[in-house]
Amino acid sequence: MTSLFPVLTADEAAALVNDQDAVSFSGFGHAGDAKAVPLALARKARALHEKGQPFAMRILTGASSGHVIDEVLAEANAVCWRAPYQSGRALRSQINTQKVQYVDMHLSHLPQALAFGFFGKVDYAVVEASEVTPDGRVFLTTGIGCSPTFLKYADKVIIEINTRQSSRLREFADIVVMPRPPHRDPIPITHPLSRIGVPYATVDPRKIVAVVENDEPDNSVAFTPPSEEGLKIAGHLVQFLVEERIKDRIPYDFLPLQAGVGNIANGVMAVLGTHPDIPQFTMYSEVFQDSLVDLIETGRLKGASATALTLSPDALTRVVNNMDFFSDKIVLRPQEISNHPGIIRRLGVIAMNTAIEADIYGNVNSSHIYGMDIMNGIGGSGEFTRNAYLSIFMTPSVAKQGKVSAIVPMCPHIDNNEHSVQVIVTEQGIADLRGLGPMQRAKSIIKNCAHPLYKEYLYKYLDTARPGHIPHNLSACFELHENLLNTGRMLPDLKLP
């Protein structure tokens, strides 16, 4: 299988990479991420730094990646630039202190940006696979992400053969790499389970400079059970969808769903999947999470399209051990297809994503604290929100025992604006913003979504706002955020329960 290619240790492969090289790693949300070579690169960085020599890389992945890339490499000071998404505490700190330059971008845009050289050349692609053939077919594992594009455009390629991952995972893969515009035909996906590609990525075999073996599992962890707040959010949302179906605003046989990453989204899917008034449904989404395994097994979820299996080890084992059942019910695509705006619009996807905060007019921040410090990034939420049949954002109304309100007068950073956001849900209730002018939106959000601790402040803000199409008090619009920075709570005099 690999005899035609140099078989190296991880350290030998890492020795090929130079300071300031641009290195793209496979992986999407801890699924199918390169594992052995990034660890070796961290060891190399520490050893060189101890000798006073520089070593840092420009790093690309599909989205967030494994613990090694966003934590271990960052702790080794081996990252100088990062795109398009991250989720590591160490790397986040370095980005927020300007030690690492970070490009936060829509995930489906990455393949085209890379193909046209917007970021310069890619020196190496390090990609996990279960097999690479002499003619350059690369069978990916649990994540597709941007790996097909990395393999096509990187100057040199290192393949990590993961002997732990099942070779049958290739049965989920449906891989196609988009040609450059304007030479693009319509994408013939008319159903979430439509298949248009092949089960492997391809690479020019002459570019493969190393094959490294590893047997490490994905580092995905099981989500915790939804909190009481999360269950209330799920209840409000499911009841809303049921009523929309009764009103014939959602077809009787329902529409494909998309759910963001995390415990709230995972909990919503679990509740939605057991509600008697929600029919069998499909998903067209980014990731396939634990709750969906149960839903497919019970027949509630007919099938799902995604770009990665972000499953806990136990859930992945259940899937792999029952591939005859699951193989025709899950499709894994490159992220430029899983997040493609035209397909999302065509299928009429209902998008459900999580927010850090929303302002009273319906603008949503899902990536920054105080408008300044990055948490993770926008990811794919914007691609689904802008193009969905229904765009929904979910968040608890308060955080940190009430010290922080998720409903604020104005978001200092906006990822998804009022023109795209249609519904906001907290544990307090749901605000349907469709067809409402700014003042109507503000009153609906405060009434239905804001926590009682903050309603008086928000109504008072409206009363003091300068009249206009979108009324604001510019001297006070960020008062809550300034209080939070200075005192650790948005309303310093507020008596918390």
Side-chain angles (χ1 to χ4, degrees):
M1 177 182 64
T2 60
S3 59
L4 294 181
F5 308 118
V7 179
L8 305 182
T9 67
D11 290 307
E12 289 170 338
L16 302 173
V17 180
N18 299 309
D19 179 43
Q20 298 300 307
D21 274 355
V23 183
S24 57
F25 293 100
S26 65
F28 193 104
H30 298 268
D33 55 303
K35 301 173 178 68
V37 174
L39 268 177
L41 287 165
R43 291 193 293 270
K44 174 179 179 176
R46 287 191 293 268
L48 288 174
H49 295 162
E50 287 175 1
K51 297 176 182 178
Q53 299 178 26
F55 184 80
M57 298 169 288
R58 296 167 57 85
I59 290 182
L60 285 159
T61 57
S64 61
S65 195
H67 170 78
V68 175
I69 291 170
D70 285 345
E71 287 287 351
V72 178
L73 278 176
E75 290 169 349
N77 294 308
V79 185
C80 61
W81 181 94
R82 180 77 166 91
Y85 189 87
Q86 57 77 39
S87 61
R89 184 187 299 269
L91 186 57
R92 181 184 308 132
S93 175
Q94 293 176 2
I95 290 168
N96 288 330
T97 55
Q98 295 296 317
K99 294 179 181 177
V100 173
Q101 295 301 305
Y102 177 50
V103 178
D104 182 22
M105 62 184 293
H106 301 297
L107 300 184
S108 73
H109 292 188
L110 178 64
Q112 179 170 281
L114 189 147
F116 279 90
F118 293 178
F119 307 137
K121 71 169 185 172
V122 177
D123 297 289
Y124 286 92
V126 184
V127 174
E128 179 178 277
S130 62
E131 181 185 359
V132 55
T133 64
D135 60 353
R137 286 173 290 165
V138 181
F139 293 92
L140 304 173
T141 58
T142 50
I144 308 299
C146 202
S147 293
T149 301
F150 293 156
L151 290 167
K152 182 174 182 178
Y153 291 103
D155 287 350
K156 299 175 183 178
V157 173
I158 298 170
I159 301 292
E160 284 197 11
I161 296 295
N162 191 317
T163 57
R164 178 183 294 259
Q165 298 284 21
S166 170
S167 62
R168 292 198 67 182
L169 289 168
R170 67 187 63 179
E171 296 174 32
F172 295 141
D174 184 58
I175 297 174
V176 60
V177 176
M178 296 288 290
R180 295 185 175 195
H183 309 292
R184 289 177 172 170
D185 293 326
I187 301 171
I189 292 178
T190 57
H191 185 278
L193 298 183
S194 296
R195 288 179 176 265
I196 61 172
V198 294
Y200 51 83
T202 59
V203 65
D204 183 343
R206 293 170 296 182
K207 296 200 299 185
I208 299 177
V209 296
V211 170
V212 176
E213 293 189 359
N214 81 74
D215 65 349
E216 293 296 318
D218 288 342
N219 195 35
S220 297
V221 297
F223 289 107
T224 58
S227 64
E228 181 180 351
E229 289 177 337
L231 291 175
K232 287 181 179 179
I233 290 171
H236 294 313
L237 179 51
V238 171
Q239 187 58 41
F240 169 76
L241 295 175
V242 168
E243 291 173 359
E244 288 292 289
R245 184 169 177 253
I246 291 172
K247 295 173 182 175
D248 201 29
R249 293 201 288 231
I250 293 177
Y252 189 76
D253 55 356
F254 224 59
L255 291 169
L257 302 178
Q258 176 262 338
V261 179
N263 287 326
I264 291 179
N266 210 42
V268 165
M269 291 309 305
V271 172
L272 191 148
T274 58
H275 198 285
D277 294 324
I278 298 291
Q280 288 180 302
F281 58 91
T282 58
M283 295 194 70
Y284 195 85
S285 194
E286 282 184 336
V287 294
F288 187 91
Q289 302 185 101
D290 279 19
S291 62
L292 306 185
V293 176
D294 295 330
L295 295 179
I296 284 187
E297 287 178 334
T298 61
R300 298 289 289 156
L301 176 60
K302 294 186 288 186
S305 169
T307 192
L309 297 176
T310 55
L311 297 174
S312 65
D314 288 345
L316 180 58
T317 298
R318 285 166 59 192
V319 170
V320 169
N321 288 346
N322 200 9
M323 281 295 294
D324 289 344
F325 173 77
F326 281 99
S327 63
D328 64 348
K329 298 175 179 65
I330 301 173
V331 181
L332 297 183
R333 313 180 190 277
Q335 65 196 61
E336 65 180 331
I337 303 297
S338 69
N339 292 33
H340 193 281
I343 302 170
I344 295 166
R345 178 70 61 87
R346 179 187 306 141
L347 297 180
V349 173
I350 298 173
M352 303 177 293
N353 289 286
T354 54
I356 291 175
E357 62 186 353
D359 68 30
I360 57 176
Y361 296 112
N363 300 292
V364 165
N365 164 33
S366 56
S367 62
H368 285 75
I369 305 297
Y370 323 116
M372 296 179 286
D373 290 348
I374 191 74
M375 283 297 292
N376 298 323
I378 188 172
S381 65
E383 294 156 330
F384 283 93
T385 297
R386 291 196 312 268
N387 300 284
Y389 175 80
L390 269 176
S391 56
I392 300 165
F393 274 92
M394 309 169 287
T395 180
S397 64
V398 292
K400 297 186 181 299
Q401 296 79 48
K403 296 176 183 177
V404 178
S405 174
I407 306 299
V408 297
M410 182 187 286
C411 290
H413 177 91
I414 295 170
D415 297 297
N416 294 283
N417 64 38
E418 63 190 85
H419 306 296
S420 302
V421 178
Q422 295 173 310
V423 178
I424 294 176
V425 193
T426 72
E427 84 286 357
Q428 301 295 321
I430 189 164
D432 181 356
L433 309 179
R434 293 172 295 177
L436 302 185
M439 281 298 288
Q440 293 173 305
R441 290 201 298 268
K443 291 176 180 178
S444 178
I445 290 171
I446 296 171
K447 176 184 176 182
N448 295 301
C449 297
H451 193 279
L453 291 170
Y454 289 88
K455 284 188 177 182
E456 181 181 354
Y457 178 91
L458 294 169
Y459 279 126
K460 184 178 179 181
Y461 178 84
L462 270 185
D463 291 338
T464 62
R466 177 191 177 279
H469 176 234
I470 301 177
H472 269 303
N473 181 341
L474 296 181
S475 65
C477 59
F478 298 138
E479 182 180 52
L480 294 182
H481 297 88
E482 288 189 347
N483 288 341
L484 182 60
L485 273 171
N486 295 329
T487 70
R489 55 174 62 193
M490 284 188 162
L491 290 177
D493 299 327
L494 185 67
K495 293 182 179 180
L496 298 175

